[in-house]
Amino acid sequence: MILPDDCEDKEWVIPTRTGGYSSSTVCGVNSRTYHGFLIVPQNSPHFRFLVLSKFEDFLRVGREEIPLNTNHYLGGFFPDGYKFITRFERGRNYVKWYYQYGTIDVEKTLVVNQFYNSVDVTYRTTKGSFRICPLITYRSHHLTWKNRQGFFVMETQGNRINILFENKPILSFEIDGENRVEPTGYWYYNFMYKLDKENGSNFEEDLYNPFCIYSLDSHITIHAYSGEKPATSPPKGLHRDPVKLIGENGLDFLVKGNRGWAIIAGYHWFDEWGRDTFISMEGILLMNNETEAVLQILRRYFSLEEKGMLPNGYIDYNGEPIYRGVDVSLWGINAVYKYFLYTHDKDAVKELFPVMQDIVEWYDKGNGIVYNKGGIIFHRGAPRTWMDAQYDGVVVTPREGAAVEVNALWYNALKVMDYLSNVTGLSDDRYGKMAEETKRSFVSTFEGERFLYDVVDWDGKPDRSLRPNQIFAVSLPFPVVEGDLAKKVVNTVEDSLFRPYGLSSLSRESPQYKPVYKGDRASRDNAYHNGPIWPWLLGSFIDAKVRLETNQIVLKLLIDQLRPLMSLAEKNGGYLPEIFDDVPPYKSRGCMAQAWSNAEVYRGITKLINL
């Protein structure tokens, strides 16, 4: 038996690879606004709506009905189906619950049909039959619904049942197995989502039940889908090797949208983001031989370049690009370089190179956001780096001025341009000269007594906070810092910020240090980049460590230090979360499945294994 109080933070998620997903908890209690059997993008892969929350389901034996599900209402848990769960199983594209009622065994399997907005739910019992009642809604996966907002209509076409909301088709059902359908039209009130309540978010919900299905034997399958109905997918198991599991499941962040391939930054709530896309490309796509997807994504992003800026995100309902991050274009240039290393595709580089030149030209001359002062890139406005938390007009880590990783990326971009201009026969020696100027200025601008400054403001005043951003000065393909200073940077980061789950975002010595990410929006955002551990930074830390460490035994021991992270990935269905608290027991927080966490951990650990 799995007690509901113990299971509400034991979540599972299976992406549909359209931008949507299926998600709940191991005992079937939805504890987030984002939980539901089927979440569907309305402008794929963006603008995701919950359409099928769950099934209110019962085993029927004679005149008795035994609940299989449990809900958390404002008044408590009901019904008590959790009491009969003996085991929960998670696979690559499915989850399965095992129940026992006396001598009767029941299995309930949910399979996600990837690349379609579709799930199949199958019930089997050794005795009896089933009553199954879908609970539906039609709302953004960010927001709950109360008080019967809108009208649902049920239409039957042969074996298919269509659900319309305000005359718009939103969901269809088809049923395999002898059954009868009874229209109901009931509302279920006051569902309570515990994890959202703890976060100070919307947490109360009403759901609609249009009909109930009565099976006439011991086996039934319900196909629920929005749009095109796919063929049924067979259940697939998880890879047993934890490293390969992390790499294989990374592909679930690659989705097919209306404009082609895209990478979703994280499940449940993150959308497609430029920065995360470029950072994740190698670990998710190139290492999985998805080179065509990489080129398609690069072409789409580079076609949207504006004054040197590549999109950091998109407006969900219409897909229009948003330009904000000052590092995004530089990560984009790095991604082209990685693509070339894997494919040696000179034609693609020649195609993208004019946009890369335009990016460098705008960063060099300034575009109103970025400015070049003696080889150092300064920026105005906040937040414009990856440390971008803000709430109610408060920017928690503004980092306005010259940010250390932005300038490491700038130097790296110039060296990439120098390298690719020669490889493609488009030789231009100015990039190498620009890089030399940046390298000289970088050290004089950012070198502190023990480590690199995180930010230097417009007046030359440094921020002496010890943060992990300096690791990029050593880790990128073309490091701007070498020799003793590079060793000092890596040693300081390792001694002060390295953890078994990633790098802490701020030294414990800082007055701003907040190790735990929980509470309301303000509490969480104030902590977000001020202490919690970020797994994605491990990839760059490993790059820097491998570059400087000559003792391979020391490097191989890093794999053992990261065993807790790999163990968590196994328990989490192959996904790595966004962040962890920086205090034992290092509780995972934020998105339960984060693209760049999977990508960079997989890339980094694979590099260590292959030494």
Side-chain angles (χ1 to χ4, degrees), residues 67-171:
L68 301 177
N69 79 304
T70 304
N71 304 311
H72 196 167
Y73 294 101
L74 292 177
F77 294 100
F78 183 83
D80 56 1
Y82 68 89
K83 290 182 177 178
F84 307 107
I85 299 174
T86 58
R87 185 159 67 95
F88 173 79
E89 177 180 315
R90 187 197 311 251
R92 180 79 172 82
N93 66 337
Y94 76 93
V95 289
K96 190 171 187 176
W97 292 268
Y98 295 83
Y99 302 81
Q100 192 168 55
Y101 179 71
T103 60
I104 302 173
D105 294 321
V106 177
E107 295 178 3
K108 172 182 172 180
T109 307
L110 181 149
V111 178
V112 173
N113 299 302
Q114 292 191 319
F115 295 111
Y116 295 88
N117 298 306
S118 167
V119 296
D120 298 330
V121 185
T122 299
Y123 294 81
R124 298 178 186 272
T125 179
T126 55
K127 183 180 179 181
S129 59
F130 298 98
R131 178 166 69 93
I132 305 160
C133 307
L135 300 179
I136 68 172
T137 185
Y138 184 68
R139 48 89 169 164
S140 165
H141 69 159
H142 299 300
L143 304 170
T144 55
W145 251 18
K146 288 285 292 177
N147 303 322
R148 303 190 185 190
Q149 298 187 28
F151 295 93
F152 295 94
V153 174
M154 168 184 163
E155 292 182 349
T156 302
Q157 294 180 333
N159 187 44
R160 185 171 69 193
I161 301 170
N162 297 320
I163 303 297
L164 289 75
F165 176 79
E166 303 289 356
N167 295 319
K168 175 182 179 179
I170 62 167
L171 184 61

Side-chain angles (χ1 to χ4, degrees), residues 28-43:
V29 176
N30 288 346
S31 57
R32 286 192 194 275
T33 303
Y34 301 94
H35 285 165
F37 280 1
L38 189 57
I39 288 83
V40 176
Q42 306 300 294
N43 178 31

Side-chain angles (χ1 to χ4, degrees), residues 275 324-325 379 381-385 387-390 395-399:
R275 177 187 297 113
R324 183 175 297 145
H379 70 269
R384 293 195 180 275
T385 71
M387 291 187 162
D388 56 359
Q390 59 180 325
V395 179
V396 180
T397 46
R399 307 186 72 233

Side-chain angles (χ1 to χ4, degrees), residues 550-567:
T550 58
N551 187 335
Q552 287 215 352
I553 294 176
V554 171
L555 293 172
K556 291 289 188 180
L557 285 174
L558 278 175
I559 300 174
D560 287 331
Q561 290 179 272
L562 298 174
R563 294 287 178 193
L565 187 61
M566 289 185 275
S567 177

